[in-house]
Amino acid sequence: MGRSGVKLRRWAPLLAVLIISAAAQPWLQRPDSRTAFVVDTSVSNISADFVGVADAVSAAARNAGEEEYLSLRGFSGPCDGANTSLMVNGDSPEFLAEQLRNLAPGGAATLESGLLAAIDDFDSWFPLPGSERNRIVLVTTRGVDRCRTDQSAVHRAVADKARDSGVSLDFRIIGYHVPTDEQQALTDLAAALGAPAPRFTGTPTELADALR
C-alpha cells in the first residue's frame, strides 16, 4: 500500500464522523421551543368523546409557531407491558391530527408511565431540548393512575424524574371530564411538579379554550 493509501486509512474515521454529522445535522439543530402533548388514550375517553380531545389537541398543534417542535405521546393499556407510545416526534400538525383521528381509545389510564416516558423524550440528544422552552401538556380524563394505589408515590416519581432529567420542563395539566373524586389527585400532581393548577373542562369548547 502506498503512502496515499496509508493517509486515507488514517483519516477514514474522521471522514466517517464528518459524513454522519452532516447527515444528522437537522436533528442536531436545537429548536427554540418543544411542546409534547401527552394524551390519555384509555377506554375512559370513549364516554368522554375522544373526538373532542382529538380536535382540541389538533387545533392547539396547528396554532403553535412554525419553529415549535411538536410531539405526541399517548398512554393507556395493561398495567404490565406496553402502555405508552410516542406517536408523533417532530412531524407536522397535520400528521399529529391524523394520528389522533385514527386512534381508538382502550385500556387503563397509565398516567405514570406516560409522564415518565414523556420526560425521557426530552432527556436525549436526538432531538435536542429547546433552547428557550420545553413544555409537557397533559390532557387526561382521569386524575389517578389506574394501576397504582398510592397516587402520592406516582407524583413523587414523576417530580423526581423531571428534576433529575437536567431539562427545565414546564408542565401544564388539563382535565377533561375528570371525575370529581379524582380532581384533587391532579391538583396534587401539579403542586409536586411546580406547575399551575390544573384546568378542569367539561365540553370540547372548554377543552379547546384551555389548550389555546
Side-chain angles (χ1 to χ4, degrees):
M1 180 181 294
R3 294 177 64 183
S4 60
V6 173
K7 289 182 179 179
L8 180 61
R9 186 171 61 182
R10 181 183 302 167
W11 289 101
L14 178 58
L15 290 171
V17 170
L18 291 174
I19 292 171
I20 294 172
S21 297
Q25 189 174 2
W27 285 91
L28 292 173
Q29 292 175 350
R30 190 169 188 176
D32 293 336
S33 180
R34 283 182 61 181
T35 294
F37 294 101
V38 182
V39 178
D40 173 9
T41 56
S42 68
V43 69
S44 60
N45 255 321
I46 295 176
S47 60
D49 179 19
F50 190 74
V51 172
V53 175
D55 289 346
V57 174
S58 298
R62 292 189 184 98
N63 288 333
E66 292 184 359
E67 300 303 319
E68 189 87 10
Y69 188 100
L70 299 174
S71 63
L72 170 67
R73 175 173 286 280
F75 63 89
S76 66
C79 293
D80 296 319
N83 52 33
T84 180
S85 62
L86 184 63
M87 297 182 288
V88 174
N89 191 20
D91 297 285
S92 68
E94 290 72 23
F95 181 72
L96 185 148
E98 179 183 353
Q99 293 295 99
L100 284 170
R101 282 196 306 270
N102 294 333
L103 186 64
T110 53
L111 180 65
E112 180 180 13
S113 293
L115 286 173
L116 293 180
I119 294 169
D120 268 337
D121 294 338
F122 279 87
D123 188 17
S124 66
W125 285 99
F126 303 102
L128 290 167
S131 59
E132 298 179 6
R133 184 181 67 188
N134 294 283
R135 176 176 290 174
I136 292 178
V137 181
L138 171 65
V139 181
T140 180
T141 57
R142 305 307 298 253
V144 301
D145 187 304
R146 303 300 291 178
C147 298
R148 297 288 296 271
T149 55
D150 186 354
Q151 299 305 309
S152 61
V154 173
H155 304 162
R156 288 194 301 271
V158 175
D160 289 347
K161 183 81 168 180
R163 184 193 63 241
D164 296 341
S165 70
V167 179
S168 180
L169 293 169
D170 180 20
F171 288 86
R172 294 292 185 271
I173 300 175
I174 301 174
Y176 183 58
H177 286 283
V178 175
T180 303
D181 60 352
E182 295 185 12
Q183 292 182 7
Q184 185 59 48
L186 275 187
T187 300
D188 293 343
L189 172 62
L193 294 170
R199 294 279 300 276
F200 294 106
T201 63
T203 68
T205 299
E206 291 175 353
L207 177 59
D209 287 343
L211 281 166
R212 189 178 302 114

